[in-house]
Amino acid sequence: MTSTDNGETWTEDNPGWSDQTDGFINQIWVGGDGTACMSSVVLDSESRADNSYHFYLQKDGGTLEELQVEGFENIRHVVFYQGEALLFQQSYGEYGVSCEMTAYSLATGETRKVTLDGDAMHGAGIEPTIAGDKLLYLYYAETSMPLMELNPQDGISTQVMDTLSEAVSSAALVGDSEGAVYYPTPKGIYRLAPGGTLPEQVVPADGTAMSVNSNYPTSICRAANGDFLVTLAGDDSTRKVYRYHYDETLPAHAETTLSVWSLEDSATARAAINLYMRGNCHSLYSLCTQRYRIFRGGIVRNTDTGVKT
């Protein structure tokens, strides 16, 4: 699925990748210039241990090139940064989960192994994002979720904040060109300004899918117009992408109130709310379920629209 209007509409697209890969594609990473990496797996009919894995690179919209990178079957995240594809590999050993990094030069095809220091190596699989000219990531500490900066040349991490307030997912973090980072939580989407120490809430979660206890954020993207695309994993093993739009020009007080009663947290009920809000964006709403949980919308400065993935 591709979108050219910041996630408002989606089109099914076939770039022909499946015809150029062995097995089925299970992960795709795309850079800002369209460069793409993907991994595929060929399933063995008898034993999962005998599955075979492949890793591919596409540059400038050309054909896929299969790469031979040591440990590519364990790649969990890719970042395109300063002319390199940084491959983060996660493995399981005697002492738990560990993370390694391989830097692949997009210009020459050369690779270099980078030994990560303690925080990144044992951070249960880090997924850095580019914020300005920095690589930032979250990881699970014993009682907090620190924000770290990674130097990809020597693998050393430096703490930016000892904990990022309200953060629940180390994978759901995105930066912008100015150096700010954004992350979704059950209370809403927060922004930490470059050099700042106090995250601010830019999109409240009240009345949206983010506030549902059974939903867990697994990723976030920021569109060119400032909208957010948040992937939420449900307790029924489904994943849905929600688009959030925040309009700070709306009035601070609701002009009308809408109450919707549903037997459960229903996608149909939320679709009805979204349809109503498009024509009544100055309204206050609440969704009441059989569990007596009330989602209070406050002034609706954001709407969420589900997209099946």
Side-chain angles (χ1 to χ4, degrees), residues 124-135:
I126 65 171
E127 298 190 12
T129 186
I130 301 174
D133 59 354
K134 299 179 179 180
L135 279 177

Side-chain angles (χ1 to χ4, degrees), residues 225-298:
N225 69 341
D227 284 0
F228 297 97
L229 299 173
V230 179
T231 303
L232 298 175
D235 57 5
D236 56 356
S237 299
T238 61
R239 295 195 181 203
K240 294 182 180 180
V241 178
Y242 293 86
R243 182 170 66 96
Y244 293 90
H245 174 67
Y246 179 74
D247 188 350
E248 61 184 7
T249 66
L250 292 179
H253 300 285
E255 297 174 354
T256 59
T257 300
L258 170 70
S259 295
V260 178
W261 294 83
S262 175
L263 294 178
E264 59 183 3
D265 182 31
S266 165
T268 302
R270 291 189 181 279
I273 292 173
N274 287 335
L275 183 61
Y276 176 83
M277 297 311 300
R278 288 172 186 171
N280 301 272
C281 60
H282 297 171
S283 299
L284 172 74
Y285 74 86
S286 63
L287 174 60
C288 307
T289 74
Q290 64 177 358
R291 297 179 182 176
Y292 305 103
R293 182 184 296 119
I294 299 178
F295 300 88
R296 301 192 184 278

Side-chain angles (χ1 to χ4, degrees), residues 293-309:
R293 182 184 296 119
I294 299 178
F295 300 88
R296 301 192 184 278
I299 177 65
V300 180
R301 299 190 177 191
N302 60 287
T303 59
D304 60 346
T305 305
V307 180
K308 293 183 178 179
T309 58

Side-chain angles (χ1 to χ4, degrees), residues 191-220:
R191 175 184 185 270
L192 179 67
T197 58
L198 182 63
E200 61 173 329
Q201 186 188 75
V202 294
V203 177
D206 301 321
T208 74
M210 280 189 294
S211 66
V212 179
N213 290 340
S214 59
N215 285 338
Y216 179 79
T218 60
S219 70
I220 180 173

Side-chain angles (χ1 to χ4, degrees), residues 129-134 136 173-182 191-194 222-223 226 228:
T129 186
I130 301 174
D133 59 354
K134 299 179 179 180
L136 303 180
L173 183 73
V174 67
D176 64 20
S177 60
E178 301 299 322
V181 290
Y182 306 81
R191 175 184 185 270
L192 179 67
R222 187 169 182 266
F228 297 97

